[in-house]
Amino acid sequence: MNEDLQRIQQRLADIFTHLHEHAEISWQEHQTTDYIVKLLKEAGMEPRVFEDIPGLYVDIGKGTPKVGFRTDMDALWQEVDGVLKANHSCGHDGHMTMAIGTALLLKDMESVLSGAVRIIFQPAEERAEGARAFVQKGVVDDLDYLFGVHVRPLKEMKDGTYAPAIYHGAAKVFNGTIIGEDAHGSRPELGTNAIEVGAAIVEGLQKIWTDRNVSASAKMTQFQAGGISKNIIPGKATFSIDARAQTNEVMESLTTGIHRVKETVETMYDAKIDLQKEVHVAAASVNDKALEIMRLAIVDVVGEEGCASPVVTPGGEDFHFYTHERPSLKATMLGLGCGVTPGLHHPKMTFNRDRLITGVCIVTRAILRAL
C-alpha cells in the first residue's frame, strides 16, 4: 500500500488543486461530478451517476457492496478578497481527494478484496440535503458499514493526530411569520404588535427546559418587521430560530418546546404564527464496532501515539442522516487532525495537505478491516 501511495501522491496533489480551484456550491456540483467520473473511468472503474442530481458512486470488488466510504462535494458561497465566489473553506476538496485516492488504491488490489466496496461522492452537504437524497435513492441500502472523514481545526485536534469518531451535534433552523394587525402608533389597542409577539417568543425560548447534562440551545437569529414609517405598529414580521443539541433525543425535546412556545404565544396575543422547519441536521450516531475498526486502522498507520480521542463538537454534518434514516448502518467518521487554520468556513481556511495521504491510508485500512 505504501508503494502505491507514493506512486499516486503527486497525482492526488494535482487532483486536490483542481478541485480546490473549481469549487461548486450545493446542487451545482455538475462539473465536479464530470471530473471525478472521468478520473475513475480512466482508472478502469464504472462510476454511476444520476439523471436528476449531481453526485455519483462507484463499486469496487465483486458482489454486493457491504462497506462504503462517503465524501461530500460542495463548497460554500462566500466573500474572498472582496469577491463573492464558491470556496472550499470546509475541506470538501480534501475529502474528495481522499475518496479518489482510496478508490485508486482499492482498484489496484481489487483481485484480492474479500468483498465489494462502494465509494460515495455526495452533493449538498452544506445544505443538509444531500445525504437524505442519497438515502432515498437507495445508495446505502445494502451497506453494513459506512465511513466518512472530516478535517479538524487546530484548536480541536493536534496536527498529525487522528480520531476514530466525530460526535457532531444536531441542528435545526426554523423560519417563522407572525401575522397580527397593523395599528396607528397612538392606538396600539386596535392592532397586534408583531414586535411584541416576537419578544414573547424570545422570552419563551429562554424558558425551554431540556436535559441539563446535554448541551442545547434555541435562539432567535433573525427578525424583520415594519417599514419606513415609524408611527405604524407593524402587525407582520418574519423571523428565524436556530436550535442546537448534542443528541437527537434532546433535539426532539427542544423541538417540542419550540412548538409549545409558538402555540402559547399565539393564544396570548391572538396572533397567527406560521412556523416551518428549513434545515434539520441529525446528531452523530456512532457505532462501537465501526469506531473500533477505525481506531485499529489509525493505530496500524500512525501508532497509538497518533490516535486521538473521539471528537465532540457542536457543529453539524449531514453524514449522520445515513444512520438516522438507516439505524442498522454501522458508521463512524474519521477526524483528520491536519492543522486547519484560522478555522472551518473561514474564507482563508488552509490546512496541512500532507495529511491527506495519511487519511487515504487510514480509510483504506479501515475498509479492509471492515471487509
Side-chain angles (χ1 to χ4, degrees):
M1 188 185 296
N2 290 334
E3 292 179 0
D4 290 338
L5 276 171
Q6 291 175 2
R7 178 174 53 81
I8 65 173
Q9 186 166 356
Q10 184 55 53
R11 186 180 181 191
L12 291 181
D14 295 340
I15 288 170
F16 174 87
T17 299
H18 176 92
L19 293 169
H20 183 77
E21 294 177 351
H22 296 81
E24 295 177 297
I25 61 174
S26 300
W27 295 128
Q28 296 184 25
E29 308 96 327
H30 298 289
Q31 292 184 18
T32 304
T33 298
D34 292 343
Y35 174 76
I36 296 172
V37 165
K38 183 174 182 292
L39 278 175
L40 299 180
K41 284 185 175 180
E42 289 174 348
M45 291 177 253
E46 299 179 2
R48 301 181 187 183
V49 297
F50 305 93
E51 293 182 358
D52 54 340
I53 61 173
L56 65 138
Y57 66 91
V58 64
D59 295 342
I60 304 167
K62 296 180 179 179
T64 302
K66 295 298 180 182
V67 179
F69 175 67
R70 168 270 198 187
T71 180
D72 31 23
M73 301 171 68
D74 54 336
L76 291 155
W77 185 259
Q78 62 186 159
E79 185 175 317
V80 184
D81 294 328
V83 178
L84 284 170
K85 59 187 290 189
N87 184 42
H88 273 303
S89 57
C90 199
H92 297 186
D93 44 3
H95 303 166
M96 286 186 284
T97 301
M98 283 185 277
I100 293 167
T102 300
L104 294 174
L105 283 186
L106 292 171
K107 182 62 180 176
D108 284 344
M109 61 180 75
E110 187 173 27
S111 61
V112 297
L113 291 180
S114 58
V117 178
R118 176 163 293 176
I119 309 296
I120 300 165
F121 296 83
Q122 177 214 299
E125 188 280 327
E126 295 294 352
R127 288 183 55 173
E129 297 171 349
R132 269 185 168 169
F134 269 27
V135 168
Q136 292 169 1
K137 290 184 176 296
V139 174
V140 299
D141 282 357
D142 295 319
L143 299 181
D144 291 331
Y145 286 93
L146 182 65
F147 300 111
V149 64
H150 207 297
V151 297
R152 304 315 303 162
L154 184 60
K155 291 182 178 179
E156 189 176 89
M157 286 183 65
K158 182 181 176 182
D159 184 18
T161 62
Y162 307 87
I166 306 175
Y167 287 89
H168 288 98
K172 285 186 180 180
V173 174
F174 297 88
N175 291 326
T177 301
I178 299 168
I179 305 170
E181 191 168 351
D182 286 7
H184 193 284
S186 66
R187 299 179 181 88
E189 73 278 5
L190 298 180
T192 302
N193 190 336
I195 295 175
E196 292 178 358
V197 174
I201 294 172
V202 171
E203 184 178 2
L205 294 176
Q206 295 172 346
K207 295 178 180 178
I208 297 174
W209 292 93
T210 58
D211 184 348
R212 291 307 175 188
N213 294 314
V214 179
S215 174
S217 67
K219 56 277 177 192
M220 191 175 289
T221 54
Q222 290 182 331
F223 190 89
Q224 294 86 31
I228 61 173
S229 298
K230 298 180 178 62
N231 62 345
I232 298 175
I233 297 172
K236 186 174 182 179
T238 59
F239 64 93
S240 296
I241 295 172
D242 178 279
R244 305 277 171 162
Q246 198 59 52
T247 68
N248 291 315
E249 293 76 16
V250 171
M251 176 56 77
E252 288 306 308
S253 296
L254 198 59
T255 301
T256 299
I258 291 169
H259 284 286
R260 187 179 296 119
V261 168
K262 174 249 187 192
E263 294 164 1
T264 301
V265 174
E266 277 184 321
T267 301
M268 185 185 307
Y269 285 87
D270 193 23
K272 171 66 178 174
I273 302 173
D274 180 51
L275 189 66
Q276 301 293 329
K277 180 181 69 181
E278 179 188 19
V279 174
H280 176 201
V281 179
S285 179
V286 176
N287 177 267
D288 290 342
K289 290 183 178 179
L291 185 152
E292 180 61 11
I293 287 172
M294 185 63 74
R295 189 191 71 80
L296 291 172
I298 293 170
V299 173
D300 286 344
V301 177
V302 297
E304 292 282 359
E305 64 278 7
C307 186
S309 299
V311 173
V312 178
T313 174
E317 232 287 356
D318 89 333
F319 174 83
H320 306 298
F321 261 124
Y322 290 108
T323 50
H324 187 269
E325 300 295 320
R326 297 289 184 271
S328 63
L329 193 60
K330 295 183 279 290
T332 193
M333 177 171 273
L334 171 67
L336 196 80
C338 55
V340 170
T341 55
L344 294 172
H345 290 205
H346 190 282
K348 296 295 183 68
M349 187 276 270
T350 187
F351 62 92
N352 185 349
R353 298 176 188 178
D354 291 341
R355 305 305 180 199
L356 298 179
I357 297 300
T358 309
V360 170
C361 196
I362 292 171
V363 169
T364 302
R365 287 188 179 275
I367 288 171
L368 295 175
R369 280 186 171 275
L371 285 176

